Amino acid sequence: MKDLYQKALQYIPGGVNSPARAFRAVKQKPIFIEKGEESYLFDREGKKYIDYCLSFGAIILGHSEKRVCKAIKDAIDKGCGFGLSTENEVVLSQIICKAIPSIEKIRLVNSGAEAVMSTIRLSRGWTKRDKIIKFEGGYHGCVDSLLVSCGSSLTTLGIPTSSGIPEDFLKTTIVLPYNDIHSFRAIIEKYYSEIAAVIIEPVAGNMGVIPASLEFLKVLREETEKYKILLIFDEIITGFRLCFGGFQNIIGIKPDFTCLGKIIGGGLPIGAYGGRKEIMDCLAPDGTCFSAGTFSGNPIVTSAGISVLSILKKEDPYQELTEKTKYLLESCNKSVKINQVGSMFTLFFTEKDVFSLASAKSSDCERFANFFKCLLKEGIYFPPSQFEACFLSTSHSNKDIEKTKKAIKQIL
Ligand code: PLP
């Protein structure tokens, strides 16, 4: 594994294709994965790990799920992609639109970032305004104007914003504190005529799991409606993770747009954005807002997505996943703060009553790094940063949970 890492460093910047994989925050060398089966990952040296990162939330039925793999293989046998329309795209789009009523029409793309980028463009095109509001700690993918005050990888690396983004781009982004009604109202009242959209993770998964308060989300909906600003829910993590649909189904708030990704591609690269019909119809070819992609709606990816969503609809595992996650977290003592929403959770290493990005101290990160290292030794893989959410899949067995509980208790 050491040799492979050296080779990777020679050819790939930092040895990785996405920074979180470099394990810098936990002061470890990256691991190289050979295969995944059910709840397990196997590295190149054959070491087995119970996986609670699950491809950063993209996997919900476990790795190499037989029915999903069959759907993928069947699709591959017919060809890898044609740059033409296929039935799969229509089927997947229909499943999603039926599950999330605010999505009247949907476009499939190749990543969450692409979905967000396209939604922002469409919002600006529709409203003829330029400014976007995002919230501190929200991560919406590698999108130039939103790479400021992110949680996730950037926070982990201690980078406030990425280099290479023109100042003028950032001038169009207003960053506000999460869950702070007062500052949101103050800004909206001042700048409403310039604001195209407000984007939020309704359950923030990139500063650890921190749900937005219902009151806050209601205010966002009321104020944006009042000033004809578009409300975007980034449900790239929460879509089909917490119920069969989005978090919006649970709270009963309809955004104008929803961004999806991760689970809807069954572990393969995907993104999607959708919302009100009259706005979606402004996309090319019917409208003037451009959105295109060689691989968009790829038949293999959509086949995996249809398979996963069909299984989730039929088996409705959400209640059981929530209970299992709750049971797992009973092993934690008072030295950590726990946040759980369904099968998403985070253990916060903090001495404060409430965890926040701003109050995270380097000693907290140090404690998390030690915890991560100890877990890894026990064959348990958590996301390599305490700002990333942990997840459970339907393939985590009682044995996995018991082993993890015991390890967490001992390590803490
Ligand atoms: N939005 C959220 C909430 C995410 O968690 C992520 C990725 O982790 C993205 C957007 C970007 O998605 P992708 O990595 O597929 O571009």
Side-chain angles (χ1 to χ4, degrees), residues 365-404:
C365 297
E366 199 80 22
R367 284 172 69 212
F368 176 79
N370 286 333
F371 176 70
F372 175 89
K373 211 179 291 179
C374 294
L375 280 177
L376 209 59
K377 219 184 265 173
E378 294 292 323
I380 295 162
Y381 175 59
F382 265 36
S385 156
Q386 76 168 327
F387 303 118
E388 302 275 6
C390 302
F391 301 95
L392 220 73
S393 76
T394 56
S395 66
H396 282 80
S397 66
N398 291 340
K399 206 171 138 203
D400 295 334
I401 306 273
E402 292 302 340
K403 180 178 167 174
T404 310

Side-chain angles (χ1 to χ4, degrees), residues 56 110-114 116 139-142 152 201 203 205-206 234-237 261-262 270-271 388:
F56 293 99
N110 303 291
S111 69
E114 199 185 331
V116 171
Y139 176 66
H140 305 288
C142 247
S152 193
E201 287 179 77
V203 176
N206 286 285
D234 179 343
E235 298 232 40
I236 286 166
I237 290 182
K262 304 210 186 234
I270 198 165
E388 302 275 6

